[in-house]
Amino acid sequence: MLYRVKIVVRPREGVSDPEGETLSRRLNRKGIQGLRKIRSGKYWEVYLESSSKEEAEERARQIYGGPPTMNPVKDDAQVLAIEEVG
């Protein structure tokens, strides 16, 4: 079966996020009200052939579990969804 795995990788809490800080300043200058904090990140859709949803999730964890896709010291990753697509 083919699965689509949606993954987000973003800086850990407490780690500086220059991109998020820049976006926050720009939106404040634009007059957007109520912004408290913006955290930037990366979003991936990974398509995996797998025999089960659980196996697809395990493979996804292998993909984002460390270098070269992310730095586990400064980044957090999360599977947002796993969907069977074919």
Side-chain angles (χ1 to χ4, degrees):
M1 289 182 251
L2 182 64
Y3 290 90
R4 176 175 47 212
V5 182
K6 298 177 181 180
I7 301 169
V8 65
V9 178
R10 59 185 163 257
R12 289 184 182 272
E13 285 297 324
V15 173
S16 72
D17 180 8
E19 187 177 355
E21 292 166 6
T22 298
L23 180 57
S24 181
R25 283 192 304 273
R26 287 180 179 171
L27 292 174
N28 280 323
R29 281 195 304 262
K30 197 173 183 178
I32 305 296
Q33 300 294 314
L35 289 174
R36 295 278 185 210
K37 178 169 41 170
I38 296 177
R39 303 289 289 168
S40 68
K42 297 177 257 183
Y43 169 80
W44 302 329
E45 283 189 6
V46 179
Y47 292 80
L48 296 170
E49 286 285 340
S50 186
S51 60
S52 69
K53 186 175 182 177
E54 292 77 18
E55 183 181 64
E57 183 173 6
E58 177 57 34
R59 287 186 184 169
R61 290 185 193 287
Q62 291 172 355
I63 290 169
Y64 73 72
T69 55
M70 69 168 270
N71 179 343
V73 172
K74 68 177 193 70
D75 296 327
D76 277 327
Q78 176 184 7
V79 172
L80 299 177
I82 300 175
E83 307 163 327
E84 185 178 333
V85 293

